[in-house]
Amino acid sequence: MQDLYSLIHSLTSSEWQSLQHYFTCFTDHDRAKLKYLQLAKLLMDAEECPSEKSCCLKIYGVKNSLNFEKLKSRLKEKVLDFLATDICDKKKDIDEVDWAYIQIKKMSAQY
């Protein structure tokens, strides 16, 4: 859980906003019902890494659920996909040093 918490908190505020949009732009489901978005918000709003049991209780209403492990895995995949994907061609608008930093951050996330 700590690695997912760290990954979410490593995002800048603009990346966080883009990630939330990325979660919702490819689905027809209601935004409020997306469990991986709920978990991401729960992790982002927490000052310290919450326990798995407390997160599971807030999302599913029970302390233990086999679906929670799948949810964590799905969220991590989606965040890594977001970081690895260039949604638009920003290279022409970004300074070379910032572009290199973004590429390093993406490679680090994939690793």
Side-chain angles (χ1 to χ4, degrees):
M1 191 67 153
Q2 181 65 41
D3 58 341
L4 189 55
Y5 175 79
S6 299
L7 182 63
I8 295 287
H9 274 269
S10 71
L11 300 173
T12 64
S13 62
S14 62
E15 287 174 331
W16 171 243
Q17 295 299 322
S18 296
L19 178 66
Q20 292 179 70
H21 179 69
Y22 178 77
F23 285 161
T24 59
C25 69
F26 299 113
T27 184
D28 295 333
H29 297 289
D30 182 23
R31 181 183 178 123
K33 293 182 181 179
L34 294 175
K35 296 204 183 304
Y36 51 85
L37 182 57
Q38 291 174 11
L39 180 57
K41 285 182 179 181
L42 187 69
L43 292 173
M44 183 56 99
D45 293 340
E47 291 185 23
E48 292 182 2
C49 182
S51 70
E52 289 188 23
K53 288 182 180 182
S54 67
C55 290
C56 188
L57 185 62
K58 287 180 182 178
I59 293 173
Y60 290 107
V62 294
K63 287 186 179 179
N64 292 320
S65 174
L66 296 175
N67 293 331
F68 187 70
E69 290 299 320
K70 294 177 188 176
L71 178 65
K72 285 189 336 184
S73 176
R74 196 170 354 145
L75 175 60
K76 188 173 183 179
E77 274 184 40
K78 286 188 178 290
V79 172
L80 293 176
D81 284 345
F82 168 75
L83 291 173
T85 304
D86 288 326
I87 304 237
C88 61
D89 185 22
K90 297 179 185 177
K91 190 172 183 179
K92 61 185 173 194
D93 299 331
I94 297 177
D95 183 47
E96 288 182 31
V97 175
D98 291 335
W99 182 255
Y101 174 73
I102 290 169
Q103 297 297 45
I104 290 170
K105 194 171 182 179
K106 285 181 181 181
M107 288 179 199
S108 173
Q110 286 176 339
Y111 176 73

